[in-house]
Every structure is written in C-alpha cells, then in structure tokens.
C-alpha cells in the first residue's frame, strides 16, 4: 500500500468524471506520448517533467516516512462508472476519506491500471487500484493498491460485473450500495 501526492496525467487523478477527447493522448509506452513525454504534451502536465516523484515510479526499497499510519474512513457507496478511454473510473462522493497526520482528504474516485502503473523492485503487478482523495484546498492524495491474482474478491467481482465497455459510456449508480471501498484494501 503506497501513497502518492503528486500524480501524473496518466492516472486520471483529477477527481472529476473525465471524458474521452478532453485531454492530450498519452500512453505508458512509446517515444511520442509515453511517460518521458508527458510533461511536453500539455502545460497542465508540466509537473511530470520537473517533479521528483512522478508516476510511474519503481519502489526500490522501503523507507520509513515518519508519518503516522493512514486512517481510513471508507463507507459503502453508490458509484457512477465511466469509461474514459484509459480506465474505468468509479466516482465516489459519499463522505469517505482518509486522514494523514491529522489532515483530512475526501475520497473522490477510484480507478484501475492494467498492468500496475508502479513497480516494486522492477516487478509489475497484474493491476493497480488508485483511490483518489482531495483536501479542502484542492491538494490530492492518492492511495495505490497493487493487485495480484488470487482468491476472488467479492467487491472486485461486483465492479467487474458492471464495467462500461465503450469509451464515454457511463453507468449511473451501476454498483448501487454494494460497493464498499474498504473491501479493496489489503487486510
């Protein structure tokens, strides 16, 4: 479980319901629109070129941050699912959030990357889930959960059953109150 404070354009971390075609095209590979080019694709992506801990990153070792543990306050939610062309994003505006060192961030949305956006010691995982949070001042906190194959997860199974298949497709309340974001956190 990791926490990233300055996301790149790739993850759709803006929090809103992104629509296909509203931002420059980017990919995770390639000379024209891959990660090394993200900072040049749009002025809004400038941090990708000048930042020091931008996505995607390889976590090469564990380092104690000195911060207290993240306090999760996740609740069951009705979600709106949208296929934005890069991922399926689940909008979650239900009062869920996290607290980091006494600072509250509200949960806005969750989305997946396949394969994982980040790596551990150079190893990619089959998928990665990002929980995107925003504080009252607009700062973002993204909690990343790496996903490996294993026993079925009932929350994931519910989400997979309601995925919008085409770019721009949106399913309002598709997962009803069955979606419990806490069920996607590691035990």
């Amino acid at each position: 479980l990791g926490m990233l404070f300055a996301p790149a354009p790739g993850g759709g971390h803006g929090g809103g319901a992104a629509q296909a075609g509203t931002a420059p095209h980017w990919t995770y590979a390639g000379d024209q629109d891959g990660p090394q080019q993200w900072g040049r694709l749009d002025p809004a992506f400038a941090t990708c070129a000048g930042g020091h801990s931008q996505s995607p990153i390889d976590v090469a070792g564990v380092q104690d941050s000195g911060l207290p543990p993240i306090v999760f306050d996740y609740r069951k939610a009705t979600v709106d699912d949208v296929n934005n062309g890069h991922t399926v994003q689940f909008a979650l505006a239900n009062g869920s959030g996290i607290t980091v060192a006494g600072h509250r961030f509200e949960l806005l949305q969750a989305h997946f990357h396949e394969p994982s956006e980040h790596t551990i010691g150079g190893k990619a995982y089959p998928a990665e889930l990002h929980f995107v949070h925003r504080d009252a001042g607009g700062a973002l906190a993204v909690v990343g959960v790496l996903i490996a194959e294993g026993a079925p997860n009932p929350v994931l199974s519910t989400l997979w059953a309601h995925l919008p298949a085409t770019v721009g497709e949106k399913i309002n309340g598709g997962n009803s109150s069955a979606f419990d974001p806490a069920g996607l956190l590691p035990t």
Side-chain angles (χ1 to χ4, degrees), residues 87-137:
T87 189
V88 174
Q89 180 173 295
F90 305 91
L92 300 154
N94 72 332
S96 290
I98 59 172
T99 302
V100 181
H103 192 85
R104 174 81 177 179
F105 293 84
E106 298 297 322
L107 180 59
L108 298 175
Q109 54 104 329
H111 62 269
F112 293 89
H113 296 269
E114 180 192 14
S116 62
E117 183 174 43
H118 307 291
T119 55
I120 305 292
K123 178 188 176 202
Y125 282 72
E128 182 172 352
L129 169 63
H130 287 170
F131 288 108
V132 182
H133 308 79
R134 183 173 53 212
D135 72 4

Side-chain angles (χ1 to χ4, degrees), residues 10-147:
H13 295 126
Q19 298 297 320
T22 60
H25 177 73
W26 54 266
T27 66
Y28 286 112
D31 294 332
Q32 299 295 317
D33 49 13
Q36 298 303 318
Q37 304 304 321
W38 286 353
R40 296 184 188 106
L41 296 177
D42 186 283
F45 300 165
T47 304
C48 297
H52 299 290
S53 297
Q54 297 303 305
S55 297
I57 60 170
D58 178 43
V59 178
V62 177
Q63 184 177 2
D64 186 352
S65 69
L67 291 172
I70 300 169
V71 177
F72 288 88
D73 176 23
Y74 284 177
R75 305 166 190 169
K76 288 186 177 182
T78 299
V79 298
D80 293 336
D81 310 342
V82 65
N83 181 331
N84 67 18
H86 288 284
T87 189
V88 174
Q89 180 173 295
F90 305 91
L92 300 154
N94 72 332
S96 290
I98 59 172
T99 302
V100 181
H103 192 85
R104 174 81 177 179
F105 293 84
E106 298 297 322
L107 180 59
L108 298 175
Q109 54 104 329
H111 62 269
F112 293 89
H113 296 269
E114 180 192 14
S116 62
E117 183 174 43
H118 307 291
T119 55
I120 305 292
K123 178 188 176 202
Y125 282 72
E128 182 172 352
L129 169 63
H130 287 170
F131 288 108
V132 182
H133 308 79
R134 183 173 53 212
D135 72 4
L140 298 179
V142 179
V143 175
V145 178
L146 297 170
I147 299 173

